[in-house]
């Protein structure tokens, strides 16, 4: 612990950083500060001063407020509370919704400019829903304290905060959230409200200390409807959280594929494919003769993907880690298959950490005609766009979507083609 930790400083907040924090300076030192807005002057407490390049701080009170500040949409996360008692998960809830999208646009544009040398004019598009960005979550995970109390973690900690409401949740989810119940012995509680059928409240087992993970629990099969299409999946399996996200991304991916470069009979790939949502999006646009292989490491999701994609005779679902699958293709593909892969389209929807160096290198070596990259982290996207550029691919179209209102997260859909 350094000599500044725990000290209070008065600072001018100058701009936004990735991760839901703002940037200030104090005596030449960069400070990442939570619960502040660029343009404000705040009183903040230093929480971390061990790094030479920057410190971290939390806002205690606002001296000069931004015109974009509003009462927090979630009282449990309000600046009126002590920082350690503020619920996490709505870190932009004190900012007008339009300005939230502008800050997310700035982070995306800055990341691509700084890391990939790319300028973008993409704005962050709103999804249908409440004007204040509430009422959209169809899935919520509540952590469980030692005494069995459920709630979100406090921001940047593993301390459970009891709450009386969940304003980001859909009304149907909020109505069944067991906020006043106890779950002794459980690690967390998942509340899932699918678009078809009954909702679920699923308490997990305790964390497995030896293996470092929580028991997934028994599978519960649910159904989600996107437009006219239905998808089967496990209640705890991955699905987009915003009630309009799956439909929004389906259309965005369909629009992002350049029809002039798409060959339905080539070796098209859907990587990190989950239960086949985006593979189905491609199939629905280009017809039931499309050849596409979806790759996912979760075997339960892959089983569901095979079922969800059954109407496309050329569709296949493979259980594998993406980097291993691509490595295998690179090692075993003959001349005919390599040509088919080179004519192919790749849908890439990696986790928050992005595709990364190895996956990008394998894709560049295969040389597909186009890559549609669905990204939930702007910094990871920018890093990967730079890696693709070094391999001869350039960024064409880019759109961004506010899939997570009142948080700092933003989704982007990018198209990359051979330069």
């Amino acid at each position: 612990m350094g000599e500044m930790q725990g000290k209070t400083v008065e600072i001018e907040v100058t701009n936004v950083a990735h991760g839901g924090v703002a940037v200030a300076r104090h005596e030449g030192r960069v400070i990442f500060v939570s619960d502040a807005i660029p343009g404000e002057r705040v009183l903040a407490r230093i929480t971390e001063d061990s790094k030479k390049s920057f410190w971290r701080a939390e806002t205690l009170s606002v001296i000069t407020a931004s015109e974009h500040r509003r009462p927090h949409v979630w009282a449990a996360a309000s600046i009126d509370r002590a920082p350690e008692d503020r619920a996490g998960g709505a870190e932009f809830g004190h900012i007008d919704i339009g300005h939230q999208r502008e800050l997310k646009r700035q982070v995306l544009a800055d990341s691509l400019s700084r890391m990939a040398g790319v300028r973008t004019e993409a704005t962050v598009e709103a999804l249908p829903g409440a004007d204040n960005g509430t009422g959209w979550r169809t899935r919520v995970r509540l952590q469980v304290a030692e005494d069995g109390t459920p709630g979100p973690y406090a921001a940047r900690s593993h301390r459970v905060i009891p709450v009386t409401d969940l304003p980001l949740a859909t009304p149907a989810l909020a109505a069944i959230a067991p906020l006043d119940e106890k779950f002794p012995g459980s690690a967390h509680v998942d509340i899932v409200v699918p678009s078809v059928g009954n909702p679920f409240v699923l308490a997990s087992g305790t964390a497995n200390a030896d293996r470092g993970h929580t028991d997934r629990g028994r599978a519960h099969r649910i159904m989600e409807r996107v437009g006219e299409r239905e998808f089967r999946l496990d209640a705890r399996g991955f699905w987009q959280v915003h009630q309009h996200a799956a439909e929004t991304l389906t259309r965005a991916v369909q629009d992002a594929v350049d029809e002039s470069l798409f060959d339905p009979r080539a070796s098209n790939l859907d990587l990190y494919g989950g239960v086949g949502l985006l593979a189905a999006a491609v199939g629905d646009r280009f017809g039931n003769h499309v050849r596409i292989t979806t790759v996912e490491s979760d075997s339960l999701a892959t089983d569901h993907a095979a079922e969800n994609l059954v109407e496309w005779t050329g569709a296949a679902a493979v259980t594998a880690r993406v980097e291993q699958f691509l490595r295998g293709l690179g090692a075993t593909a003959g001349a005919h298959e390599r040509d088919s892969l080179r004519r192919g389209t790749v849908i890439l929807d990696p986790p928050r950490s992005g595709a990364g160096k190895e996956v990008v290198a394998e894709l560049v070596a295969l040389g597909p005609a186009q890559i549609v990259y669905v990204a939930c982290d702007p910094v990871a996207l920018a890093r990967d766009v730079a890696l693709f550029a070094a391999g001869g691919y350039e960024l064409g179209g880019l759109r961004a979507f506010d899939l997570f209102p009142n948080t700092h997260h933003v989704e982007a859909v990018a198209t990359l083609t051979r330069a």
Side-chain angles (χ1 to χ4, degrees):
M1 183 187 296
E3 61 183 30
M4 284 300 293
Q5 186 157 337
K7 297 282 180 66
T8 300
V9 292
E10 193 174 305
I11 49 178
E12 298 275 358
V13 184
T14 54
N15 54 319
V16 66
H18 178 51
V21 293
V23 182
R25 281 177 171 77
H26 178 69
E27 297 177 355
R29 175 88 57 178
V30 170
I31 300 177
F32 294 123
V33 58
S34 60
D35 297 317
I37 306 173
E40 293 188 326
R41 187 167 188 84
V42 302
L43 195 65
R45 182 169 60 208
I46 305 297
T47 57
E48 182 184 322
D49 66 349
S50 59
K51 292 185 170 61
K52 288 184 178 179
S53 54
F54 65 88
W55 293 345
R56 291 192 181 275
E58 52 202 9
T59 299
L60 299 175
S61 62
V62 180
I63 299 165
T64 308
S66 164
E67 61 181 330
H68 305 293
R69 180 172 284 274
R70 64 175 181 187
H72 205 291
V73 296
W74 195 7
S78 170
I79 198 166
D80 297 335
R81 287 187 165 206
E84 61 272 17
D85 292 332
R86 294 172 196 164
E91 62 279 0
F92 272 10
H94 60 291
I95 308 172
D96 285 334
I97 196 75
H99 195 58
Q100 289 183 32
R101 295 183 186 124
E102 166 58 19
L103 294 177
K104 295 178 188 189
R105 184 203 66 77
Q106 290 176 21
V107 170
L108 178 63
D110 177 66
S111 299
L112 284 166
S113 173
R114 187 166 36 85
M115 302 178 73
V118 172
R119 289 182 60 84
T120 174
E121 300 301 318
T123 58
V124 177
E125 301 174 39
L127 271 65
D131 290 342
N132 66 352
T134 60
W136 53 268
R137 288 194 74 107
T138 62
R139 285 151 172 78
V140 167
R141 170 165 288 185
L142 299 173
Q143 308 300 327
V144 178
E146 285 187 18
D147 68 353
T149 301
Y153 282 142
R156 294 166 292 281
S157 90
H158 286 160
R159 182 164 171 262
V160 175
I161 303 297
V163 296
T164 57
D165 64 341
L166 297 171
L168 301 196
T170 60
L173 192 152
I176 65 168
L179 299 178
D180 56 357
E181 297 180 26
K182 296 279 190 178
F183 296 87
S186 292
H188 53 250
V189 178
D190 291 310
I191 312 155
V192 180
V193 181
S195 53
V196 180
N198 296 326
F200 283 84
V201 176
L202 303 168
S204 77
T206 54
N208 184 327
D210 293 333
R211 302 188 179 213
H213 67 267
T214 301
D215 174 26
R216 177 170 180 161
R218 185 167 66 87
H220 297 273
R221 185 180 167 94
I222 63 170
M223 188 180 294
E224 293 283 359
R225 185 176 288 129
V226 182
E228 299 299 311
R229 184 166 297 287
E230 292 179 341
F231 294 84
R232 288 159 183 81
L233 64 150
D234 178 43
R236 286 192 179 92
F238 176 78
W239 188 256
Q240 291 293 337
V241 173
H242 193 296
Q243 60 182 338
H244 297 294
E247 189 173 357
T248 298
L249 289 178
T250 290
R251 288 198 304 268
V253 166
Q254 289 171 336
D255 293 345
V257 175
D258 183 339
E259 189 172 4
S260 69
L261 295 176
F262 187 81
D263 182 348
R265 302 202 178 279
S267 293
N268 301 298
L269 300 174
D270 172 32
L271 304 179
Y272 310 95
V275 298
L277 173 70
L278 300 183
V282 174
D284 277 337
R285 179 175 175 195
F286 293 103
N288 61 8
H289 55 293
V290 162
R291 182 183 174 200
I292 190 163
T293 299
T294 185
V295 182
E296 166 63 50
S297 61
D298 181 344
S299 60
L300 188 56
T302 310
D303 290 345
H304 284 121
E307 189 176 354
N308 294 331
L309 300 173
V310 71
E311 72 187 67
W312 290 280
T313 54
V318 174
T319 304
R321 292 183 62 82
V322 166
E323 58 271 29
Q324 293 171 349
F325 173 83
L326 293 175
R327 207 180 304 131
L329 272 185
T332 61
H336 176 74
E337 181 64 7
R338 283 193 170 277
D339 176 66
S340 186
L341 288 161
R342 190 167 174 79
R343 290 183 286 109
T345 291
V346 172
I347 309 298
L348 189 61
D349 185 13
R352 189 153 286 137
S353 55
K357 192 175 293 186
E358 183 179 358
V359 167
V360 171
E362 295 288 352
L363 283 171
V364 165
L366 294 174
Q370 62 185 325
I371 297 160
V372 175
Y373 191 142
V374 181
C376 58
D377 186 284
V379 169
L381 171 65
R383 178 204 64 206
D384 289 347
V385 165
L387 292 171
F388 276 116
Y393 282 81
E394 63 184 9
L395 180 66
L398 177 71
R399 293 175 72 188
F401 300 93
D402 197 15
L403 262 56
F404 312 93
N406 292 309
T407 82
H408 74 277
H409 298 294
V410 62
E411 197 92 358
V413 178
T415 304
L416 295 144
T417 55
R418 290 195 294 258

